[in-house]
Amino acid sequence: MTEHIQTSGRTSLAAYAPLVERLSLEEKVHLLTGETAFTLPGNDRIGLAPLAFSDGPTGVRGLKFVGGDAVALFPNATLIAASWDDGIAEEVGRMLSEEARRQHIHVVLGPTINLHRTPLGGRLFEAYSEDPYLTGRTAAACVRGMQANGTAACLKHLVANESETLRNFVDSRVSETALRELYLLPFEMAVQDAGAWSMMAAYNDVNGVPATEHDRVQNRIVKGEWGWDGLIMSDWFATKRTVASANGGLDLVMPGPDGPWGEKLVAAVRAGEVAEETVDEHVERLLRLADRTGGLDRGEGHRAWASRLPAPDSDRRKEQLRRIAARGMTVVANNGALPLDEAGECSVALIGRHGLDTVDMGGGSAQVNPPYQSTVAEGLRALLGDRVTVADGVAVRSRPVAADPSFLTDPATGTPGLEVALLAADGTELSRYHSGSSAISIGWDDDLKRTPATAVLTTTLANEAGPVLLGAIGGGRWSLAAGGQEISAELRFAGKDPGETMIRPPAFAEVVELPAGATVTATVALEPVDWRELLLGDPSLGLAGESHLLDMSAMGLTALVAAPAPRPDDELIAGAEAAARAAGTAVVVVGVTEEEETEASDKRTLALPGRQDELVARVAAAAERTVVVVNAATPVLMPWLPDVDAVVVAGLPGQEGGHAVAAVLTGELEPTGRLVTTYPAADGAAPAWDVVPGEDLGLSYDDGTAIGYRGYHAGAVPEPLFWFGHGLGYGSWAYGSAAAVRGGDGRLGVDVELTNTSARDSRETVQAYLDPAEADQPIRLVGHQGVDVPAGATVTVTVDCDQRLFRRWNESTGAWEQLAPGGELVVARGLGDVRARVSLG
């Protein structure tokens, strides 16, 4: 049974009062806003070191958004959760802490524990699952691993932040019942079961109140009812008002150095609008966080430990990342085509753009700078050698992407990348440097005292004579000169999310004829967006004049686009068909990209982009056997499913992803993952779908507590393509008797007899769902247990049931109450494959 860690509320915070008393009001307030984008100020008089934060959770990027040191790129959150294994999640937490400590980072901004309410959510790849229990349990294990090594986890985003469309302005309208039973539950579990040290308040409003000001959620529930002694920080630029946020439970405003607190908060305290005791509590929570992470001893132990940690490209990291990615991969269909080695084929045709350019991570703040990224083509060739032939697939992106640095050479250094010059308005050179990337950030990662007016990027291409795709990314007036050709464009930002300047900036590209080894000079006249004018000028957004969003003046991402000109889709499909006919098995790798799975944008369809569905169908018609690998973290439609022999969901598998996919396809590693999100059979065929708020900016969570598999089970929508919890692995299983068991403390579990009926050792995940006696209550996951079983062996598996799922929120009394006695425990391999029912009557 789960052991809950009790927090001690104000008792633990009181120890920091003597330090707070030594500070003036101005000094206290100074500590409560970031000093830079990712750091906090220190204070020598009280022994407080500056604290450093880093984005996560698919790696610890460090203090630079673009072009920082190489760091390990982890499998994405859905792959980790798909292992349904606390040990895997805890190992990931330890690894994240190691990556953080190696870079002297105190707080990792993750895990993301919002739910997969609708499969259209663009940021779902960062979050674990559609189920609050699986999400909370996975999060608690990750937090335990991270914080055991002295690195703070930051649970995000508090709360009801399940879509990205107009994320700074949307009002998530959710019942108190759904808020308590679903959306707050993962936060509650990570607090009670792992003692998480910090949380992040979301961009959105919740029932008309900005999340950063939500007294009911932050003060009354999280800090009050749960007795939590951690710190709540804002999401970056999320804070909207001074007094309401300070009084509403927010402890720290990020980023800095400007913001809605500072002098405004000092003035509010002087005016009696905010009690100084409230400021004191915020500082006490900050000091508590610093103490836990080594920031009150100047972090010397933190630095000494960092020197003994594995490098991101070390053999140890490679083994961990490959194994963890493979464990989460899920076989959703298999007619005997997998594993490939058991199929006994002489040749394999690997087909698809995602096979040659595997997408190993999503977009937005979760992106990192890895030492390398592996592709499925590399992985299969390493294992199968010349048995593998490779054929490119159709285009999968609609937007240009930054050039591969290996296609560029800085003429000043002779190394991969660009020469960058930043100029002031009068032409004075502010900075000249080498970038090992094709992208730079202006106004975010530099420490220039003056804002540049012009950037000049110079590089030599590794191109052959002929057509080249050339262009640029980032706002401003662009002029590119190469090989006697000139192209230009004026790129303007037209969205309503300032974060898109870094995450989704405007771009252009066109095909030009160039000589071999052409030198490119790209010049951009930079034009910062006046967010105050743009956002306040739109009354439909209802933005307060002191919102931190209006402080965003950074110009964001700037990048060069350069690549060999793309081949026509028809030609690529014909080549794929020919390769499929010549091989015994065709492995088609399809998926989405960072255009669909990203922060600051939601999907509009679950259909694969481009002509990928056509590619699969035509390959399946030509091949003797067809295996499809889905390189996507969240559901996609599969109109070709009846025509293929096997399907593996590979997620966004991190830097070792290509090798992990190859190990899974060949059976070297078993893919024992189980789905963490239900796959709809068609667009719109899900209990919750819309991500676009109405004209009043409201997004109604009118599905209540019946999201995902709960809604499907209740008959709200047609049968899904694949149920939550579904996964075949490479074993086969017989379920015998199942019986309820109660511990001495009254907690409930279920004993299940399980036999591995296959000829290979394998792993099974036994899932237990409660189907309550009350007709208005949805079915819900209450426990799961993974077990490794030798071939032919029989074991008894005990699945503990979490008692927090046996309660309901009573809105009339404003309190929890137990569900009515009775109902059934449903033992299943996902609700599409129920193996036993145990009456609780």
Side-chain angles (χ1 to χ4, degrees):
M1 302 297 180
T2 303
E3 180 179 351
H4 293 179
I5 297 174
Q6 299 299 318
T7 55
S8 52
R10 287 190 175 273
T11 302
S12 61
L13 295 174
Y16 303 97
L19 293 177
V20 177
E21 291 171 0
R22 294 162 58 183
L23 302 174
S24 68
L25 174 62
E26 289 78 6
E27 286 177 308
K28 288 184 282 192
V29 169
H30 177 66
L31 296 178
L32 299 179
T33 297
E35 188 166 53
T36 67
F38 292 103
T39 63
L40 301 184
N43 186 295
D44 288 337
R45 291 204 301 114
I46 61 172
L48 175 65
L51 300 184
F53 297 176
S54 173
D55 273 323
T58 52
V60 182
R61 189 179 63 239
L63 300 181
K64 295 190 70 174
F65 205 102
V66 175
D69 293 339
V71 301
L73 170 60
F74 287 58
N76 80 293
T78 61
L79 264 189
I80 293 164
S83 71
W84 291 57
D85 187 337
D86 297 347
I88 289 289
E90 190 163 342
E91 181 179 7
V92 168
R94 291 194 300 270
M95 293 165 64
L96 285 168
S97 178
E98 290 172 353
E99 287 288 297
R101 300 195 72 146
R102 187 172 53 80
Q103 301 174 78
H104 313 306
I105 298 295
H106 300 83
V107 182
V108 172
L109 304 177
T112 301
I113 57 175
N114 301 116
L115 300 183
H116 296 194
R117 174 177 174 263
T118 158
L120 292 179
R123 206 171 182 179
L124 300 188
F125 73 95
E126 285 189 51
Y128 290 126
S129 81
E130 71 184 24
D131 180 73
Y133 169 73
L134 178 62
T135 295
R137 181 166 161 179
T138 307
C142 181
V143 169
R144 284 194 296 269
M146 202 185 308
Q147 295 185 171
N149 283 339
T151 301
C154 181
L155 309 175
K156 62 184 188 184
H157 308 84
L158 189 69
V159 62
N161 179 200
E162 276 70 39
S163 58
E164 292 293 290
T165 303
L166 291 174
R167 61 179 178 163
N168 299 292
F169 315 105
V170 64
D171 180 20
S172 299
R173 295 173 182 169
V174 54
S175 70
E176 183 75 5
T177 295
L179 190 69
R180 295 279 192 155
E181 294 184 13
L182 291 187
Y183 300 104
L184 281 173
L185 181 57
F187 292 88
E188 182 182 5
M189 292 177 68
V191 165
Q192 292 180 339
D193 300 353
W197 293 342
S198 68
M199 295 185 192
M200 182 186 294
Y203 287 117
N204 54 283
D205 291 1
V206 182
N207 295 327
V209 180
T212 53
E213 305 172 5
H214 216 293
D215 175 76
R216 178 169 181 77
V217 170
Q218 296 182 139
N219 281 330
R220 295 170 61 185
I221 298 176
V222 174
K223 295 179 179 180
E225 292 179 23
W226 299 351
W228 183 65
D229 62 357
L231 173 139
I232 300 177
M233 68 185 77
S234 72
D235 204 338
W236 268 229
F237 298 99
T239 312
K240 296 178 180 178
R241 296 182 295 181
T242 303
V243 173
S245 58
N247 287 334
L250 192 69
D251 299 306
L252 175 67
V253 168
M254 291 300 291
D258 301 316
W261 283 11
E263 294 179 359
K264 294 178 182 177
L265 182 53
V266 171
V269 174
R270 302 283 190 221
E273 298 172 301
V274 177
E276 188 162 358
E277 290 79 6
T278 298
V279 173
D280 291 348
E281 182 189 341
H282 297 328
V283 178
E284 289 168 2
R285 290 177 181 273
L286 174 63
L287 295 180
R288 178 76 160 135
L289 179 66
D291 197 11
R292 285 165 158 165
T293 59
L296 278 180
D297 64 1
R298 312 301 299 174
E300 294 308 315
H302 195 282
R303 293 179 181 274
W305 200 66
S307 64
R308 303 191 297 270
L309 297 172
D313 59 351
S314 64
D315 289 343
R316 177 182 172 190
R317 278 286 178 264
K318 290 178 180 179
E319 184 280 328
Q320 290 175 307
L321 295 172
R322 177 172 170 267
R323 170 174 46 81
I324 290 168
R327 277 289 305 278
M329 293 179 187
T330 305
V331 179
V332 295
N334 188 11
N335 294 330
L338 291 176
L340 292 178
D341 62 347
E342 292 183 1
E345 297 303 328
C346 295
S347 61
V348 173
L350 177 67
I351 297 167
R353 183 65 51 84
H354 283 76
L356 284 75
D357 185 15
T358 306
V359 178
D360 291 323
M361 61 178 164
S365 59
Q367 289 183 311
V368 303
N369 178 33
Y372 62 90
Q373 295 186 64
S374 61
T375 68
V376 178
E378 293 168 354
L380 273 182
R381 281 170 169 160
L383 292 181
L384 302 182
D386 59 9
R387 287 178 56 191
V388 180
T389 59
V390 177
D392 196 2
V394 297
V396 296
R397 288 183 169 89
S398 60
R399 289 168 46 86
V401 297
D404 186 329
S406 65
F407 194 63
L408 313 175
T409 300
D410 180 343
T413 64
T415 56
L418 306 166
E419 181 185 48
V420 180
L422 302 179
L423 310 177
D426 61 3
T428 303
E429 186 175 293
L430 301 176
S431 176
R432 183 177 293 270
Y433 62 93
H434 165 75
S435 171
S437 168
S438 57
I440 62 173
S441 65
I442 298 175
W444 282 78
D445 296 328
D446 52 58
D447 55 1
L448 300 175
K449 303 303 179 185
R450 298 169 64 188
T451 301
T454 303
V456 182
L457 314 178
T458 307
T459 193
T460 299
L461 305 182
N463 67 300
E464 298 178 356
V468 173
L469 185 70
L470 192 64
I473 300 171
R477 297 189 307 277
W478 283 92
S479 175
L480 283 75
Q485 302 276 349
E486 290 190 10
I487 58 175
S488 61
E490 185 168 355
L491 302 180
R492 291 188 176 276
F493 180 75
K496 296 179 180 180
D497 184 344
E500 292 183 33
T501 58
M502 285 297 296
I503 295 166
R504 200 177 178 84
F508 87 103
E510 55 187 83
V511 175
V512 296
E513 292 286 334
L514 295 179
T519 295
V520 179
T521 301
T523 303
V524 56
L526 299 162
E527 296 182 348
V529 180
D530 187 341
W531 291 106
R532 182 169 294 275
E533 178 180 352
L534 182 63
L535 298 179
L536 290 181
D538 187 345
S540 70
L541 300 180
L543 192 62
E546 58 186 298
S547 171
H548 203 357
L549 274 181
L550 304 177
D551 296 327
M552 287 194 70
S553 59
M555 285 170 283
L557 186 74
T558 299
L560 182 69
V561 175
R567 295 163 57 195
D569 280 354
D570 285 339
E571 178 183 322
L572 293 166
I573 291 175
E577 287 177 306
R581 288 191 192 97
T585 298
V587 175
V588 190
V589 190
V590 297
V592 298
T593 72
E594 71 286 344
E595 291 184 17
E596 291 82 25
E597 297 201 301
T598 183
E599 182 178 353
S601 178
D602 289 315
K603 298 187 283 288
R604 295 294 178 263
T605 177
L606 300 183
L608 291 170
R611 296 169 63 185
Q612 292 184 89
D613 287 333
E614 180 185 352
L615 174 69
V616 175
R618 289 174 62 172
V619 167
E624 184 178 346
R625 272 179 293 276
T626 303
V627 174
V628 178
V629 176
V630 179
N631 184 195
T634 49
V636 301
L637 303 182
M638 301 182 187
W640 32 259
L641 182 62
D643 303 320
V644 303
D645 298 284
V647 180
V648 179
V649 175
L652 305 176
Q655 69 189 45
E656 278 290 304
H659 297 292
V661 170
V664 159
L665 293 177
T666 60
E668 179 184 326
L669 294 175
E670 184 182 11
T672 56
R674 302 293 183 263
L675 293 182
V676 296
T677 309
T678 305
Y679 277 49
D683 274 347
W689 186 254
D690 288 337
V691 289
V692 180
E695 291 184 1
D696 63 352
L697 299 176
L699 183 62
S700 296
Y701 282 41
D702 49 16
D703 40 286
T705 61
I707 68 169
Y709 69 86
R710 297 173 174 216
Y712 286 100
H713 184 266
V717 286
E719 186 91 356
L721 183 67
F722 297 117
W723 285 91
F724 170 88
H726 172 67
L728 302 176
Y730 290 153
S732 58
W733 303 93
Y735 280 61
S737 61
V741 293
R742 294 191 180 274
D745 56 1
R747 292 192 180 184
L748 180 67
V750 58
D751 282 350
V752 180
E753 186 182 81
L754 179 69
T755 301
N756 179 355
T757 59
S758 67
R760 61 180 294 156
D761 298 348
S762 188
R763 180 178 178 85
E764 174 67 321
T765 298
V766 180
Q767 303 162 38
Y769 299 79
L770 172 66
D771 194 357
E774 297 161 273
D776 65 337
Q777 287 294 302
I779 198 167
R780 77 281 307 270
L781 181 71
V782 295
H784 65 80
Q785 182 62 54
V787 59
D788 295 295
V789 185
T794 298
V795 298
T796 297
V797 181
T798 299
V799 182
D800 295 329
C801 299
D802 194 305
Q803 295 306 296
R804 286 169 292 206
L805 279 300
F806 288 75
R807 61 185 182 176
R808 63 183 298 169
W809 183 257
N810 187 321
E811 293 195 14
S812 298
T813 62
W816 290 106
E817 62 185 23
Q818 291 298 302
L819 292 173
E824 288 183 323
L825 286 180
V826 178
V827 178
R829 308 183 79 230
L831 290 177
D833 187 2
V834 172
R835 296 299 179 97
R837 295 180 181 272
V838 178
S839 175
L840 298 178

